[in-house]
Amino acid sequence: MQTLDSVQNATPAGALASPAVARNTRPILDVLKAHLPAEGRILEIASGSGEHAVAFARALPRTTWTPSDPSEQARASIAAWAAEAKLPNLNPPLALDAADPDAWPPLEVQVIVCVNMIHISPWSATEGLMTGAGRVLPDPGGLLVLYGPFREADVPLAPSNAAFDDSLKARDPAWGLRDSEAVLAEARKHGLHLTRRVEMPANNLMLLFRKVG
């Protein structure tokens, strides 16, 4: 599964940097701080370069943050950023593919966070994410947090998102912005129910789901 979008070489050695991270870290953190437990274990799916993992673990020092990614290149980048940060609450990255929930290692977490994966992966990754989250998150109250652009019924698609969608599909026909209702329906199959929709900068959304039943 693809997890690394536009990245470039960066310091520390072996790390990658994503321009999107600099733009969206603070707005995402504001939502996480408002809704995550003060203490708890958090799994990040499709961590990509690892910059988010470091920023989130640093800003939420009473949580334990576990990044993951199926890409060896991404995990090397995560490890490089983590080595520089030296955060006691940031675990080594797991080799975990959202699209293959049957291969997920045993996990005990209260929260799963997934940033900018849904649209840069085939639909099977979303199905796998919901399956895995439904199995792993505690019932009741486990939290799944999604961030990214979505299509919404009765909401005009922003021109920038329409152009982005076209560019994604040109790169891979299996990619593209997902209809939010399809994502919500897939989540409900696994006991995950939308509890909050937060509008974010640059026509993105954060969707928060709670495990119930």
Side-chain angles (χ1 to χ4, degrees):
M1 183 190 71
Q2 170 73 21
T3 59
L4 291 171
D5 193 12
S6 298
V7 295
Q8 59 194 36
N9 290 327
T11 55
L16 300 168
S18 171
V21 172
R23 297 191 297 268
N24 62 33
T25 295
R26 176 49 55 187
I28 293 173
L29 261 175
D30 288 342
V31 177
L32 293 180
K33 287 180 176 180
H35 296 283
L36 263 59
E39 299 180 4
R41 294 175 296 276
I42 300 160
L43 170 67
E44 184 184 3
I45 298 287
S47 299
S49 68
E51 296 163 281
H52 275 146
V54 168
F56 298 160
R58 180 179 287 123
L60 302 164
R62 294 169 62 191
T63 66
T64 299
W65 199 276
T66 301
S68 71
D69 206 283
S71 163
E72 185 176 353
Q73 181 188 24
R75 294 194 304 274
S77 179
I78 297 166
W81 283 114
E84 181 185 64
K86 296 182 175 63
L87 299 172
N89 63 324
L90 180 60
N91 287 333
L94 298 177
L96 185 152
D97 189 341
D100 188 11
D102 291 338
W104 288 20
L107 296 164
E108 186 177 344
V109 298
Q110 287 75 51
V111 181
I112 293 176
V113 174
C114 183
V115 174
N116 281 336
M117 182 201 80
I118 300 290
H119 55 287
I120 314 179
S121 60
W123 178 246
S124 60
T126 299
E127 293 175 321
L129 171 63
M130 298 306 179
T131 300
R135 293 174 181 170
V136 167
L137 290 175
D139 181 8
L143 176 63
L144 170 65
V145 181
L146 303 182
Y147 170 90
F150 295 88
R151 292 180 177 272
E152 294 187 285
D154 303 322
V155 177
L157 189 64
S160 60
N161 276 2
F164 184 41
D165 187 42
D166 289 341
S167 71
L168 289 171
K169 291 174 178 174
R171 290 165 61 187
D172 189 325
W175 296 0
L177 273 62
R178 307 299 179 189
D179 291 332
S180 62
E181 275 305 319
V183 175
L184 269 57
E186 189 63 34
R188 287 193 294 269
K189 293 179 184 178
H190 303 282
L192 298 161
H193 299 272
L194 183 71
T195 58
R196 189 169 295 271
R197 171 191 175 277
V198 183
E199 294 186 3
M200 303 293 284
N203 303 303
N204 290 296
L205 296 175
M206 285 188 78
L207 303 179
L208 280 66
F209 301 80
R210 290 286 180 180
K211 180 72 184 296
V212 182

